[in-house]
Amino acid sequence: MGFINRSLITCLVILFVFANTRPISCEKDDDPMRERYKNWMAKYNRTHKDDRQREKRFQIYKANVELIEAFNAINEDYKLTDNQFADITNTEFREHYMGLKESSSRVPLLDIKQNEEHSEKAREMLEAVPQKIDWREKGAVSEVRDQGRCGACWAFSAVAAIEGITQIKSGRMVTLSEQELVDCNMIDDGCYGGFMTDAFDFIRLNGGLTTESDYPYRGQQEECKTSKLDHHAATIKGYRNVTANEQSLLNAVASQPVSVGIDAGSMAFQFYSSGVFTGPCGVELNHGVTIVGYDTDGKDKYWIVKNSWGAGWGEKGYVRMKRGVEGDLGLCGITTLASYPLV
Ligand SMILES: *[C@@H]1O[C@H](CO)[C@@H](O)[C@H](O)[C@H]1NC(C)=O
Ligand SMILES: *[C@@H]1O[C@H](CO)[C@@H](O)[C@H](O)[C@H]1NC(C)=O
């Protein structure tokens, strides 16, 4: 994990904890941060049930903005901003906006040596894939959606991968239903987490998945609308897991959008705004997203990652994540739970 500047993180963590525990009574009323908070609340349509709630959220907002500004002053790879998650703590963020089941990494750390052998082989295949690919330019990626306060990332990740391969094979972009997966795939826990591979299995066994407009997203788990189960707008034959190293992942993404698990729990990820995300992050997977391309910007190689936190987060809903990192796990464990649907 040589890419993490530990003293920087320690400094930011101390700053955050300190700022967050400062007693409320210390605040002067002419704090310029209040004006900024008012504007932020208007932008994100926030209301509070009473003054106490409002003050509590303001203190969290203020601590977050101080952290964001301290970070932006020293980090040159990417920038943070006070986005829609600016009035919640990192703990609340982790609790409500992800949704991969816990400890879901497919690669025990002991397997790394074996994976190194895999990447040796994979490196030989380097010539075969294009230098860059962006499935958005080929019409294989739908609009960025917003999972809201529901841990259904796994459904969004799987749907984006299926929409991708369906468009690549048929030339038609059909936007598909996450809600059908949230309500009807009983192997997973709806808004409390799931796996993309379970979603693929569900769709294969069900014979298909209906469209977004036929079974729209509701942001909460509801009773399965069984009458929709035989509406098949797209289907898959199954899926394949990708060997956990960057070259195998690159080969897969060269053919189609790929579902991946990542550790998205850091504050840096919570407030990511633009640039190539380089961490800090661990490799304990907690979030499902979809890689829809890769490229290089001169300095950094990166993955183009479609998220499901709305178009207001990150780069119009996307994050560019550094690739070409030390070891086989990839940044934030991005190689360790990768899979793609087969049609
Ligand atoms: C806030 O509400 C307005 C009007 O209802 C809406 O147009 C806008 O998209 C909302 N903004 C956000 C960030 O939800
Ligand atoms: C893919 O990986 C998942 C997660 O470890 C595992 O449960 C599943 O059996 C694997 N599927 C295949 C087809 O290898």
Side-chain angles (χ1 to χ4, degrees):
M1 301 288 285
F3 53 88
I4 295 179
N5 180 338
R6 290 205 181 269
S7 57
L8 167 66
I9 302 164
T10 312
C11 160
L12 292 176
V13 166
I14 289 169
L15 176 70
F16 176 67
V17 171
F18 173 73
N20 212 16
T21 53
R22 205 180 292 161
I24 285 168
S25 56
C26 288
E27 293 307 326
K28 289 197 224 107
D29 283 331
D30 58 359
D31 190 338
M33 193 70 85
R34 291 200 186 270
E35 190 59 29
R36 179 164 174 178
Y37 183 55
K38 231 173 83 185
N39 295 335
W40 180 90
M41 277 181 60
K43 179 172 177 193
Y44 290 100
N45 295 338
R46 285 294 198 283
T47 53
H48 298 109
K49 65 174 190 288
D50 56 36
D51 287 353
R52 240 182 104 234
Q53 272 304 315
R54 185 189 156 108
E55 186 61 22
K56 180 184 163 193
R57 287 297 147 192
F58 169 68
Q59 293 299 332
I60 294 168
Y61 176 81
K62 181 175 174 176
N64 284 336
V65 168
E66 283 168 358
L67 173 102
I68 287 163
E69 293 193 335
F71 184 94
N72 285 346
I74 47 181
N75 191 301
E76 306 202 323
D77 293 315
Y78 64 97
K79 295 296 172 197
L80 307 184
T81 191
D82 51 338
N83 58 20
Q84 76 262 43
F85 302 128
D87 70 340
I88 59 173
T89 65
N90 186 244
T91 308
E92 291 171 313
F93 169 70
R94 287 165 175 256
E95 218 166 280
H96 299 294
Y97 294 94
M98 302 195 172
L100 209 53
K101 281 187 195 165
E102 271 168 47
S103 42
S104 36
S105 175
R106 192 154 26 84
V107 184
L109 293 182
L110 291 174
D111 279 359
I112 290 174
K113 194 155 176 29
Q114 190 197 333
N115 277 318
E116 274 164 12
E117 284 160 26
H118 280 302
S119 19
E120 232 13 80
K121 275 186 232 113
R123 257 170 232 129
E124 292 161 16
M125 294 158 62
L126 196 65
E127 305 305 314
V129 298
Q131 279 300 307
K132 60 174 186 172
I133 195 142
D134 186 343
W135 288 112
R136 294 174 297 184
E137 291 168 358
K138 301 181 192 298
V141 185
S142 67
E143 300 267 287
V144 169
R145 282 167 243 180
D146 192 346
Q147 70 187 75
R149 200 179 155 96
C150 161
C153 65
W154 56 274
F156 287 84
S157 168
V159 160
I162 296 172
E163 287 173 346
I165 190 62
T166 304
Q167 192 276 347
I168 291 165
K169 295 290 182 196
S170 72
R172 282 184 319 128
M173 168 50 69
V174 184
T175 54
L176 300 171
S177 173
E178 291 89 7
Q179 193 66 38
E180 182 176 347
L181 295 170
V182 169
D183 292 349
C184 308
N185 164 21
M186 296 308 169
I187 296 167
D188 287 314
D189 298 324
C191 288
Y192 295 96
F195 287 119
M196 291 76 88
T197 48
D198 292 340
F200 294 145
D201 276 336
F202 170 84
I203 294 161
R204 175 178 56 86
L205 292 169
N206 187 54
L209 189 68
T210 192
T211 59
E212 178 81 27
S213 57
D214 187 41
Y215 202 151
Y217 189 61
R218 306 269 299 146
Q220 59 188 32
Q221 186 170 7
E222 297 178 350
E223 204 174 310
C224 175
K225 295 184 175 58
T226 49
S227 63
K228 308 281 188 187
L229 287 174
D230 59 1
H231 297 185
H232 298 158
T235 193
I236 58 174
K237 285 203 197 109
Y239 70 90
R240 203 159 280 157
N241 287 328
V242 180
T243 308
N245 64 67
E246 286 198 334
Q247 187 59 46
S248 300
L249 188 54
L250 194 75
N251 293 344
V253 177
S255 304
Q256 65 189 96
V258 173
S259 292
V260 293
I262 56 172
D263 182 341
S266 72
M267 295 190 73
F269 203 89
Q270 180 176 354
F271 301 125
Y272 166 82
S273 166
S274 62
V276 176
F277 184 80
T278 53
C281 51
V283 292
E284 278 168 48
L285 311 182
N286 46 33
H287 192 44
V289 289
T290 315
I291 303 185
V292 299
Y294 56 84
D295 201 349
T296 310
D297 73 354
K299 182 165 157 284
D300 289 311
K301 293 181 184 174
Y302 57 83
W303 304 107
I304 303 167
V305 176
K306 186 187 192 193
N307 201 350
S308 50
W309 293 338
W313 181 88
E315 295 182 329
K316 299 195 162 79
Y318 291 82
V319 49
R320 284 181 289 154
M321 294 180 66
K322 189 175 170 68
R323 86 188 149 88
V325 305
E326 229 176 272
D328 277 326
L329 308 185
L331 185 70
C332 313
I334 197 166
T335 70
T336 60
L337 196 75
S339 59
Y340 57 87
L342 303 168
V343 297

Short mmCIF file of all heavy atoms in Angstrom, two decimals, residues 42-45, ligand 1:
data_model
loop_
_atom_site.label_atom_id
_atom_site.label_comp_id
_atom_site.label_asym_id
_atom_site.label_seq_id
_atom_site.Cartn_x
_atom_site.Cartn_y
_atom_site.Cartn_z
N ALA A 42 -30.01 24.73 0.48
CA ALA A 42 -30.93 25.10 -0.60
C ALA A 42 -30.65 24.25 -1.83
O ALA A 42 -31.57 23.72 -2.46
CB ALA A 42 -30.79 26.58 -0.92
N LYS A 43 -29.36 24.09 -2.13
CA LYS A 43 -28.99 23.31 -3.32
C LYS A 43 -29.47 21.86 -3.19
O LYS A 43 -29.94 21.26 -4.17
CB LYS A 43 -27.48 23.34 -3.51
CG LYS A 43 -27.01 22.53 -4.69
CD LYS A 43 -25.53 22.74 -4.98
CE LYS A 43 -25.11 21.83 -6.13
NZ LYS A 43 -23.65 21.77 -6.26
N TYR A 44 -29.36 21.29 -2.01
CA TYR A 44 -29.72 19.88 -1.83
C TYR A 44 -31.09 19.69 -1.19
O TYR A 44 -31.42 18.60 -0.72
CB TYR A 44 -28.62 19.15 -1.05
CG TYR A 44 -27.37 19.01 -1.89
CD1 TYR A 44 -26.30 19.88 -1.72
CD2 TYR A 44 -27.28 18.04 -2.89
CE1 TYR A 44 -25.16 19.77 -2.51
CE2 TYR A 44 -26.16 17.93 -3.68
CZ TYR A 44 -25.10 18.80 -3.50
OH TYR A 44 -23.99 18.69 -4.28
N ASN A 45 -31.89 20.75 -1.14
CA ASN A 45 -33.27 20.66 -0.64
C ASN A 45 -33.36 20.07 0.76
O ASN A 45 -34.27 19.29 1.03
CB ASN A 45 -34.12 19.79 -1.59
CG ASN A 45 -34.27 20.41 -2.95
OD1 ASN A 45 -34.12 21.63 -3.11
ND2 ASN A 45 -34.58 19.60 -3.94
C1 LIG B 1 -34.53 20.27 -5.33
O1 LIG B 1 -35.89 20.50 -5.62
C2 LIG B 1 -36.12 21.09 -6.88
C3 LIG B 1 -37.57 21.46 -6.99
O2 LIG B 1 -38.39 20.48 -6.41
C4 LIG B 1 -35.65 20.11 -7.98
O3 LIG B 1 -35.84 20.67 -9.25
C5 LIG B 1 -34.16 19.82 -7.77
O4 LIG B 1 -33.73 18.85 -8.71
C6 LIG B 1 -33.91 19.33 -6.36
N1 LIG B 1 -32.49 19.21 -6.17
C7 LIG B 1 -31.90 18.13 -5.64
C8 LIG B 1 -30.42 18.19 -5.53
O5 LIG B 1 -32.53 17.17 -5.27
#
